[in-house]
PDB file of all heavy atoms in Angstrom:
ATOM      1  N   PHE A 534     256.069 -30.934 232.368  1.00 96.00           N
ATOM      2  CA  PHE A 534     255.204 -29.818 231.966  1.00 96.00           C
ATOM      3  C   PHE A 534     255.584 -28.546 232.712  1.00 96.00           C
ATOM      4  O   PHE A 534     255.625 -27.456 232.123  1.00 96.00           O
ATOM      5  CB  PHE A 534     253.740 -30.172 232.222  1.00 96.00           C
ATOM      6  CG  PHE A 534     253.144 -31.097 231.199  1.00 96.00           C
ATOM      7  CD1 PHE A 534     252.692 -32.360 231.558  1.00 96.00           C
ATOM      8  CD2 PHE A 534     253.034 -30.711 229.871  1.00 96.00           C
ATOM      9  CE1 PHE A 534     252.149 -33.218 230.615  1.00 96.00           C
ATOM     10  CE2 PHE A 534     252.488 -31.560 228.916  1.00 96.00           C
ATOM     11  CZ  PHE A 534     252.048 -32.816 229.292  1.00 96.00           C
ATOM     12  N   ALA A 535     255.860 -28.658 234.016  1.00 96.00           N
ATOM     13  CA  ALA A 535     256.235 -27.475 234.794  1.00 96.00           C
ATOM     14  C   ALA A 535     257.553 -26.891 234.304  1.00 96.00           C
ATOM     15  O   ALA A 535     257.690 -25.662 234.148  1.00 96.00           O
ATOM     16  CB  ALA A 535     256.337 -27.841 236.279  1.00 96.00           C
ATOM     17  N   ALA A 536     258.537 -27.753 234.037  1.00 95.00           N
ATOM     18  CA  ALA A 536     259.817 -27.263 233.521  1.00 95.00           C
ATOM     19  C   ALA A 536     259.657 -26.647 232.138  1.00 95.00           C
ATOM     20  O   ALA A 536     260.352 -25.679 231.791  1.00 95.00           O
ATOM     21  CB  ALA A 536     260.829 -28.413 233.478  1.00 95.00           C
ATOM     22  N   SER A 537     258.731 -27.188 231.335  1.00 95.00           N
ATOM     23  CA  SER A 537     258.483 -26.622 230.005  1.00 95.00           C
ATOM     24  C   SER A 537     257.898 -25.224 230.115  1.00 95.00           C
ATOM     25  O   SER A 537     258.281 -24.323 229.362  1.00 95.00           O
ATOM     26  CB  SER A 537     257.535 -27.533 229.226  1.00 95.00           C
ATOM     27  OG  SER A 537     258.091 -28.814 229.018  1.00 95.00           O
ATOM     28  N   VAL A 538     256.986 -25.027 231.052  1.00 95.00           N
ATOM     29  CA  VAL A 538     256.404 -23.696 231.250  1.00 95.00           C
ATOM     30  C   VAL A 538     257.484 -22.705 231.667  1.00 95.00           C
ATOM     31  O   VAL A 538     257.547 -21.570 231.167  1.00 95.00           O
ATOM     32  CB  VAL A 538     255.274 -23.760 232.295  1.00 95.00           C
ATOM     33  CG1 VAL A 538     254.806 -22.357 232.673  1.00 95.00           C
ATOM     34  CG2 VAL A 538     254.099 -24.568 231.761  1.00 95.00           C
ATOM     35  N   VAL A 539     258.349 -23.124 232.597  1.00 95.00           N
ATOM     36  CA  VAL A 539     259.432 -22.250 233.051  1.00 95.00           C
ATOM     37  C   VAL A 539     260.371 -21.899 231.898  1.00 95.00           C
ATOM     38  O   VAL A 539     260.871 -20.775 231.807  1.00 95.00           O
ATOM     39  CB  VAL A 539     260.214 -22.938 234.194  1.00 95.00           C
ATOM     40  CG1 VAL A 539     261.493 -22.172 234.520  1.00 95.00           C
ATOM     41  CG2 VAL A 539     259.345 -23.042 235.431  1.00 95.00           C
ATOM     42  N   LEU A 540     260.592 -22.850 231.013  1.00 93.00           N
ATOM     43  CA  LEU A 540     261.491 -22.610 229.885  1.00 93.00           C
ATOM     44  C   LEU A 540     260.841 -21.770 228.798  1.00 93.00           C
ATOM     45  O   LEU A 540     261.475 -20.869 228.227  1.00 93.00           O
ATOM     46  CB  LEU A 540     261.942 -23.953 229.298  1.00 93.00           C
ATOM     47  CG  LEU A 540     262.892 -23.911 228.099  1.00 93.00           C
ATOM     48  CD1 LEU A 540     264.226 -23.287 228.489  1.00 93.00           C
ATOM     49  CD2 LEU A 540     263.103 -25.299 227.532  1.00 93.00           C
ATOM     50  N   LEU A 541     259.562 -22.015 228.526  1.00 93.00           N
ATOM     51  CA  LEU A 541     258.902 -21.402 227.377  1.00 93.00           C
ATOM     52  C   LEU A 541     258.430 -19.977 227.641  1.00 93.00           C
ATOM     53  O   LEU A 541     258.659 -19.090 226.822  1.00 93.00           O
ATOM     54  CB  LEU A 541     257.710 -22.256 226.937  1.00 93.00           C
ATOM     55  CG  LEU A 541     257.968 -23.333 225.879  1.00 93.00           C
ATOM     56  CD1 LEU A 541     258.997 -24.353 226.381  1.00 93.00           C
ATOM     57  CD2 LEU A 541     256.677 -24.052 225.528  1.00 93.00           C
ATOM     58  N   VAL A 542     257.767 -19.750 228.764  1.00 95.00           N
ATOM     59  CA  VAL A 542     257.047 -18.489 228.956  1.00 95.00           C
ATOM     60  C   VAL A 542     257.983 -17.281 229.078  1.00 95.00           C
ATOM     61  O   VAL A 542     257.855 -16.320 228.307  1.00 95.00           O
ATOM     62  CB  VAL A 542     256.096 -18.589 230.165  1.00 95.00           C
ATOM     63  CG1 VAL A 542     255.440 -17.237 230.439  1.00 95.00           C
ATOM     64  CG2 VAL A 542     255.033 -19.653 229.914  1.00 95.00           C
ATOM     65  N   PRO A 543     258.936 -17.252 230.025  1.00 96.00           N
ATOM     66  CA  PRO A 543     259.779 -16.039 230.111  1.00 96.00           C
ATOM     67  C   PRO A 543     260.664 -15.824 228.893  1.00 96.00           C
ATOM     68  O   PRO A 543     260.887 -14.674 228.488  1.00 96.00           O
ATOM     69  CB  PRO A 543     260.612 -16.286 231.383  1.00 96.00           C
ATOM     70  CG  PRO A 543     260.509 -17.726 231.673  1.00 96.00           C
ATOM     71  CD  PRO A 543     259.268 -18.239 231.061  1.00 96.00           C
ATOM     72  N   THR A 544     261.175 -16.907 228.307  1.00 95.00           N
ATOM     73  CA  THR A 544     262.033 -16.737 227.132  1.00 95.00           C
ATOM     74  C   THR A 544     261.248 -16.203 225.941  1.00 95.00           C
ATOM     75  O   THR A 544     261.738 -15.336 225.202  1.00 95.00           O
ATOM     76  CB  THR A 544     262.691 -18.076 226.769  1.00 95.00           C
ATOM     77  OG1 THR A 544     261.684 -19.088 226.619  1.00 95.00           O
ATOM     78  CG2 THR A 544     263.664 -18.517 227.840  1.00 95.00           C
ATOM     79  N   THR A 545     260.036 -16.705 225.763  1.00 94.00           N
ATOM     80  CA  THR A 545     259.198 -16.208 224.669  1.00 94.00           C
ATOM     81  C   THR A 545     258.860 -14.738 224.866  1.00 94.00           C
ATOM     82  O   THR A 545     258.908 -13.939 223.921  1.00 94.00           O
ATOM     83  CB  THR A 545     257.915 -17.041 224.566  1.00 94.00           C
ATOM     84  OG1 THR A 545     258.256 -18.395 224.286  1.00 94.00           O
ATOM     85  CG2 THR A 545     257.008 -16.502 223.474  1.00 94.00           C
ATOM     86  N   MET A 546     258.512 -14.373 226.094  1.00 95.00           N
ATOM     87  CA  MET A 546     258.148 -12.983 226.345  1.00 95.00           C
ATOM     88  C   MET A 546     259.333 -12.055 226.120  1.00 95.00           C
ATOM     89  O   MET A 546     259.175 -10.943 225.591  1.00 95.00           O
ATOM     90  CB  MET A 546     257.621 -12.848 227.783  1.00 95.00           C
ATOM     91  CG  MET A 546     256.636 -11.716 227.972  1.00 95.00           C
ATOM     92  SD  MET A 546     255.217 -11.802 226.848  1.00 95.00           S
ATOM     93  CE  MET A 546     254.523 -13.403 227.297  1.00 95.00           C
ATOM     94  N   LEU A 547     260.530 -12.500 226.485  1.00 95.00           N
ATOM     95  CA  LEU A 547     261.716 -11.677 226.254  1.00 95.00           C
ATOM     96  C   LEU A 547     261.989 -11.520 224.765  1.00 95.00           C
ATOM     97  O   LEU A 547     262.321 -10.427 224.296  1.00 95.00           O
ATOM     98  CB  LEU A 547     262.928 -12.310 226.953  1.00 95.00           C
ATOM     99  CG  LEU A 547     264.248 -11.545 226.859  1.00 95.00           C
ATOM    100  CD1 LEU A 547     264.132 -10.183 227.544  1.00 95.00           C
ATOM    101  CD2 LEU A 547     265.378 -12.358 227.493  1.00 95.00           C
ATOM    102  N   ALA A 548     261.836 -12.599 224.007  1.00 94.00           N
ATOM    103  CA  ALA A 548     262.077 -12.528 222.562  1.00 94.00           C
ATOM    104  C   ALA A 548     261.046 -11.645 221.867  1.00 94.00           C
ATOM    105  O   ALA A 548     261.391 -10.851 220.982  1.00 94.00           O
ATOM    106  CB  ALA A 548     262.050 -13.940 221.970  1.00 94.00           C
ATOM    107  N   ILE A 549     259.780 -11.770 222.252  1.00 94.00           N
ATOM    108  CA  ILE A 549     258.735 -10.924 221.670  1.00 94.00           C
ATOM    109  C   ILE A 549     258.969  -9.461 222.029  1.00 94.00           C
ATOM    110  O   ILE A 549     258.722  -8.556 221.225  1.00 94.00           O
ATOM    111  CB  ILE A 549     257.353 -11.385 222.133  1.00 94.00           C
ATOM    112  CG1 ILE A 549     257.043 -12.797 221.619  1.00 94.00           C
ATOM    113  CG2 ILE A 549     256.270 -10.434 221.650  1.00 94.00           C
ATOM    114  CD1 ILE A 549     256.878 -12.902 220.133  1.00 94.00           C
ATOM    115  N   LEU A 550     259.475  -9.223 223.235  1.00 94.00           N
ATOM    116  CA  LEU A 550     259.772  -7.845 223.647  1.00 94.00           C
ATOM    117  C   LEU A 550     260.827  -7.224 222.737  1.00 94.00           C
ATOM    118  O   LEU A 550     260.664  -6.095 222.253  1.00 94.00           O
ATOM    119  CB  LEU A 550     260.251  -7.837 225.098  1.00 94.00           C
ATOM    120  CG  LEU A 550     260.696  -6.479 225.653  1.00 94.00           C
ATOM    121  CD1 LEU A 550     259.532  -5.500 225.694  1.00 94.00           C
ATOM    122  CD2 LEU A 550     261.313  -6.642 227.045  1.00 94.00           C
ATOM    123  N   TYR A 551     261.913  -7.944 222.488  1.00 94.00           N
ATOM    124  CA  TYR A 551     262.943  -7.434 221.587  1.00 94.00           C
ATOM    125  C   TYR A 551     262.376  -7.211 220.183  1.00 94.00           C
ATOM    126  O   TYR A 551     262.708  -6.226 219.520  1.00 94.00           O
ATOM    127  CB  TYR A 551     264.112  -8.415 221.515  1.00 94.00           C
ATOM    128  CG  TYR A 551     264.960  -8.477 222.755  1.00 94.00           C
ATOM    129  CD1 TYR A 551     265.654  -9.630 223.097  1.00 94.00           C
ATOM    130  CD2 TYR A 551     265.084  -7.381 223.589  1.00 94.00           C
ATOM    131  CE1 TYR A 551     266.446  -9.687 224.236  1.00 94.00           C
ATOM    132  CE2 TYR A 551     265.869  -7.420 224.726  1.00 94.00           C
ATOM    133  CZ  TYR A 551     266.549  -8.581 225.049  1.00 94.00           C
ATOM    134  OH  TYR A 551     267.329  -8.629 226.178  1.00 94.00           O
ATOM    135  N   SER A 552     261.535  -8.126 219.749  1.00 91.00           N
ATOM    136  CA  SER A 552     260.966  -8.017 218.404  1.00 91.00           C
ATOM    137  C   SER A 552     260.029  -6.833 218.277  1.00 91.00           C
ATOM    138  O   SER A 552     259.893  -6.257 217.193  1.00 91.00           O
ATOM    139  CB  SER A 552     260.228  -9.315 218.055  1.00 91.00           C
ATOM    140  OG  SER A 552     259.744  -9.294 216.740  1.00 91.00           O
ATOM    141  N   SER A 553     259.372  -6.450 219.385  1.00 90.00           N
ATOM    142  CA  SER A 553     258.402  -5.357 219.316  1.00 90.00           C
ATOM    143  C   SER A 553     259.050  -3.977 219.356  1.00 90.00           C
ATOM    144  O   SER A 553     258.391  -2.984 219.050  1.00 90.00           O
ATOM    145  CB  SER A 553     257.409  -5.470 220.474  1.00 90.00           C
ATOM    146  OG  SER A 553     258.056  -5.271 221.723  1.00 90.00           O
ATOM    147  N   PHE A 554     260.326  -3.908 219.720  1.00 89.00           N
ATOM    148  CA  PHE A 554     260.981  -2.617 219.852  1.00 89.00           C
ATOM    149  C   PHE A 554     261.719  -2.181 218.595  1.00 89.00           C
ATOM    150  O   PHE A 554     262.347  -1.123 218.581  1.00 89.00           O
ATOM    151  CB  PHE A 554     261.953  -2.633 221.034  1.00 89.00           C
ATOM    152  CG  PHE A 554     261.326  -2.202 222.331  1.00 89.00           C
ATOM    153  CD1 PHE A 554     260.759  -3.134 223.172  1.00 89.00           C
ATOM    154  CD2 PHE A 554     261.280  -0.872 222.692  1.00 89.00           C
ATOM    155  CE1 PHE A 554     260.171  -2.750 224.360  1.00 89.00           C
ATOM    156  CE2 PHE A 554     260.693  -0.465 223.872  1.00 89.00           C
ATOM    157  CZ  PHE A 554     260.134  -1.413 224.710  1.00 89.00           C
ATOM    158  N   THR A 555     261.671  -2.971 217.551  1.00 87.00           N
ATOM    159  CA  THR A 555     262.362  -2.600 216.326  1.00 87.00           C
ATOM    160  C   THR A 555     261.638  -3.191 215.129  1.00 87.00           C
ATOM    161  O   THR A 555     261.017  -4.249 215.232  1.00 87.00           O
ATOM    162  CB  THR A 555     263.827  -3.089 216.333  1.00 87.00           C
ATOM    163  OG1 THR A 555     264.448  -2.751 215.100  1.00 87.00           O
ATOM    164  CG2 THR A 555     263.892  -4.588 216.541  1.00 87.00           C
ATOM    165  N   SER A 556     261.693  -2.485 214.035  1.00 84.00           N
ATOM    166  CA  SER A 556     261.130  -3.006 212.787  1.00 84.00           C
ATOM    167  C   SER A 556     262.172  -3.745 211.967  1.00 84.00           C
ATOM    168  O   SER A 556     261.860  -4.298 210.920  1.00 84.00           O
ATOM    169  CB  SER A 556     260.544  -1.860 211.956  1.00 84.00           C
ATOM    170  OG  SER A 556     261.543  -0.895 211.657  1.00 84.00           O
ATOM    171  N   GLU A 557     263.420  -3.748 212.435  1.00 85.00           N
ATOM    172  CA  GLU A 557     264.506  -4.478 211.779  1.00 85.00           C
ATOM    173  C   GLU A 557     264.756  -5.765 212.548  1.00 85.00           C
ATOM    174  O   GLU A 557     265.228  -5.738 213.679  1.00 85.00           O
ATOM    175  CB  GLU A 557     265.775  -3.630 211.718  1.00 85.00           C
ATOM    176  CG  GLU A 557     265.649  -2.389 210.861  1.00 85.00           C
ATOM    177  CD  GLU A 557     265.500  -2.739 209.385  1.00 85.00           C
ATOM    178  OE1 GLU A 557     265.923  -3.855 208.981  1.00 85.00           O
ATOM    179  OE2 GLU A 557     264.971  -1.901 208.634  1.00 85.00           O
ATOM    180  N   SER A 558     264.458  -6.885 211.941  1.00 85.00           N
ATOM    181  CA  SER A 558     264.548  -8.163 212.632  1.00 85.00           C
ATOM    182  C   SER A 558     265.981  -8.504 213.042  1.00 85.00           C
ATOM    183  O   SER A 558     266.184  -9.201 214.031  1.00 85.00           O
ATOM    184  CB  SER A 558     263.985  -9.280 211.754  1.00 85.00           C
ATOM    185  OG  SER A 558     264.686  -9.353 210.523  1.00 85.00           O
ATOM    186  N   ARG A 559     266.979  -7.996 212.306  1.00 88.00           N
ATOM    187  CA  ARG A 559     268.364  -8.330 212.647  1.00 88.00           C
ATOM    188  C   ARG A 559     268.768  -7.729 213.982  1.00 88.00           C
ATOM    189  O   ARG A 559     269.589  -8.308 214.702  1.00 88.00           O
ATOM    190  CB  ARG A 559     269.313  -7.878 211.538  1.00 88.00           C
ATOM    191  CG  ARG A 559     269.338  -6.392 211.277  1.00 88.00           C
ATOM    192  CD  ARG A 559     270.330  -6.054 210.161  1.00 88.00           C
ATOM    193  NE  ARG A 559     270.406  -4.630 209.884  1.00 88.00           N
ATOM    194  CZ  ARG A 559     269.630  -4.003 209.032  1.00 88.00           C
ATOM    195  NH1 ARG A 559     268.703  -4.677 208.365  1.00 88.00           N
ATOM    196  NH2 ARG A 559     269.770  -2.703 208.818  1.00 88.00           N
ATOM    197  N   TYR A 560     268.192  -6.582 214.345  1.00 91.00           N
ATOM    198  CA  TYR A 560     268.500  -5.984 215.641  1.00 91.00           C
ATOM    199  C   TYR A 560     267.912  -6.829 216.769  1.00 91.00           C
ATOM    200  O   TYR A 560     268.542  -7.027 217.818  1.00 91.00           O
ATOM    201  CB  TYR A 560     267.958  -4.561 215.713  1.00 91.00           C
ATOM    202  CG  TYR A 560     268.574  -3.613 214.718  1.00 91.00           C
ATOM    203  CD1 TYR A 560     267.832  -2.560 214.181  1.00 91.00           C
ATOM    204  CD2 TYR A 560     269.896  -3.767 214.304  1.00 91.00           C
ATOM    205  CE1 TYR A 560     268.397  -1.687 213.261  1.00 91.00           C
ATOM    206  CE2 TYR A 560     270.461  -2.896 213.384  1.00 91.00           C
ATOM    207  CZ  TYR A 560     269.712  -1.858 212.868  1.00 91.00           C
ATOM    208  OH  TYR A 560     270.270  -0.998 211.956  1.00 91.00           O
ATOM    209  N   ALA A 561     266.692  -7.313 216.567  1.00 91.00           N
ATOM    210  CA  ALA A 561     266.071  -8.178 217.568  1.00 91.00           C
ATOM    211  C   ALA A 561     266.838  -9.485 217.720  1.00 91.00           C
ATOM    212  O   ALA A 561     267.011  -9.994 218.829  1.00 91.00           O
ATOM    213  CB  ALA A 561     264.617  -8.463 217.188  1.00 91.00           C
ATOM    214  N   THR A 562     267.321 -10.028 216.606  1.00 91.00           N
ATOM    215  CA  THR A 562     268.109 -11.266 216.659  1.00 91.00           C
ATOM    216  C   THR A 562     269.404 -11.045 217.421  1.00 91.00           C
ATOM    217  O   THR A 562     269.802 -11.873 218.259  1.00 91.00           O
ATOM    218  CB  THR A 562     268.418 -11.751 215.231  1.00 91.00           C
ATOM    219  OG1 THR A 562     267.186 -11.954 214.527  1.00 91.00           O
ATOM    220  CG2 THR A 562     269.202 -13.045 215.261  1.00 91.00           C
ATOM    221  N   PHE A 563     270.077  -9.930 217.150  1.00 93.00           N
ATOM    222  CA  PHE A 563     271.325  -9.634 217.849  1.00 93.00           C
ATOM    223  C   PHE A 563     271.093  -9.463 219.353  1.00 93.00           C
ATOM    224  O   PHE A 563     271.860  -9.979 220.175  1.00 93.00           O
ATOM    225  CB  PHE A 563     271.955  -8.365 217.274  1.00 93.00           C
ATOM    226  CG  PHE A 563     273.173  -7.900 218.026  1.00 93.00           C
ATOM    227  CD1 PHE A 563     274.403  -8.509 217.794  1.00 93.00           C
ATOM    228  CD2 PHE A 563     273.089  -6.871 218.959  1.00 93.00           C
ATOM    229  CE1 PHE A 563     275.534  -8.093 218.497  1.00 93.00           C
ATOM    230  CE2 PHE A 563     274.206  -6.453 219.659  1.00 93.00           C
ATOM    231  CZ  PHE A 563     275.435  -7.063 219.425  1.00 93.00           C
ATOM    232  N   ALA A 564     270.047  -8.729 219.726  1.00 93.00           N
ATOM    233  CA  ALA A 564     269.757  -8.515 221.144  1.00 93.00           C
ATOM    234  C   ALA A 564     269.449  -9.837 221.847  1.00 93.00           C
ATOM    235  O   ALA A 564     269.860 -10.054 222.993  1.00 93.00           O
ATOM    236  CB  ALA A 564     268.581  -7.548 221.290  1.00 93.00           C
ATOM    237  N   TRP A 565     268.749 -10.728 221.169  1.00 94.00           N
ATOM    238  CA  TRP A 565     268.395 -12.019 221.759  1.00 94.00           C
ATOM    239  C   TRP A 565     269.638 -12.867 222.048  1.00 94.00           C
ATOM    240  O   TRP A 565     269.832 -13.344 223.171  1.00 94.00           O
ATOM    241  CB  TRP A 565     267.442 -12.751 220.837  1.00 94.00           C
ATOM    242  CG  TRP A 565     267.200 -14.182 221.201  1.00 94.00           C
ATOM    243  CD1 TRP A 565     267.699 -15.280 220.568  1.00 94.00           C
ATOM    244  CD2 TRP A 565     266.411 -14.673 222.289  1.00 94.00           C
ATOM    245  NE1 TRP A 565     267.264 -16.427 221.186  1.00 94.00           N
ATOM    246  CE2 TRP A 565     266.479 -16.084 222.248  1.00 94.00           C
ATOM    247  CE3 TRP A 565     265.665 -14.056 223.280  1.00 94.00           C
ATOM    248  CZ2 TRP A 565     265.814 -16.887 223.172  1.00 94.00           C
ATOM    249  CZ3 TRP A 565     265.002 -14.850 224.212  1.00 94.00           C
ATOM    250  CH2 TRP A 565     265.081 -16.239 224.154  1.00 94.00           C
ATOM    251  N   PHE A 566     270.485 -13.040 221.054  1.00 94.00           N
ATOM    252  CA  PHE A 566     271.681 -13.855 221.256  1.00 94.00           C
ATOM    253  C   PHE A 566     272.667 -13.177 222.197  1.00 94.00           C
ATOM    254  O   PHE A 566     273.354 -13.850 222.978  1.00 94.00           O
ATOM    255  CB  PHE A 566     272.341 -14.168 219.914  1.00 94.00           C
ATOM    256  CG  PHE A 566     271.612 -15.195 219.099  1.00 94.00           C
ATOM    257  CD1 PHE A 566     270.948 -14.843 217.941  1.00 94.00           C
ATOM    258  CD2 PHE A 566     271.576 -16.516 219.507  1.00 94.00           C
ATOM    259  CE1 PHE A 566     270.265 -15.790 217.188  1.00 94.00           C
ATOM    260  CE2 PHE A 566     270.899 -17.470 218.762  1.00 94.00           C
ATOM    261  CZ  PHE A 566     270.239 -17.108 217.602  1.00 94.00           C
ATOM    262  N   ALA A 567     272.743 -11.841 222.149  1.00 95.00           N
ATOM    263  CA  ALA A 567     273.660 -11.126 223.040  1.00 95.00           C
ATOM    264  C   ALA A 567     273.243 -11.294 224.495  1.00 95.00           C
ATOM    265  O   ALA A 567     274.100 -11.381 225.383  1.00 95.00           O
ATOM    266  CB  ALA A 567     273.697  -9.643 222.668  1.00 95.00           C
ATOM    267  N   THR A 568     271.949 -11.340 224.762  1.00 95.00           N
ATOM    268  CA  THR A 568     271.473 -11.535 226.134  1.00 95.00           C
ATOM    269  C   THR A 568     271.987 -12.843 226.713  1.00 95.00           C
ATOM    270  O   THR A 568     272.445 -12.900 227.864  1.00 95.00           O
ATOM    271  CB  THR A 568     269.939 -11.510 226.165  1.00 95.00           C
ATOM    272  OG1 THR A 568     269.475 -10.235 225.711  1.00 95.00           O
ATOM    273  CG2 THR A 568     269.418 -11.762 227.569  1.00 95.00           C
TER     274      THR A 568
END
């Protein structure tokens, strides 16, 4: 459970951050994989 929290929480927040900065989903997808 602890390892799941470490894996889920920061990665989700980073992905949501990229998604919130653009209305074009392809840009958010590119930024996510590029990271």
Side-chain angles (χ1 to χ4, degrees):
F534 283 117
S537 298
V538 171
V539 170
L540 180 64
L541 269 61
V542 175
T544 54
T545 299
M546 208 55 59
L547 182 63
I549 296 293
L550 176 64
Y551 288 152
S552 184
S553 66
F554 270 91
T555 178
S556 59
E557 295 292 337
S558 58
R559 62 179 181 272
Y560 297 148
T562 302
F563 174 80
W565 169 255
F566 286 110
T568 299

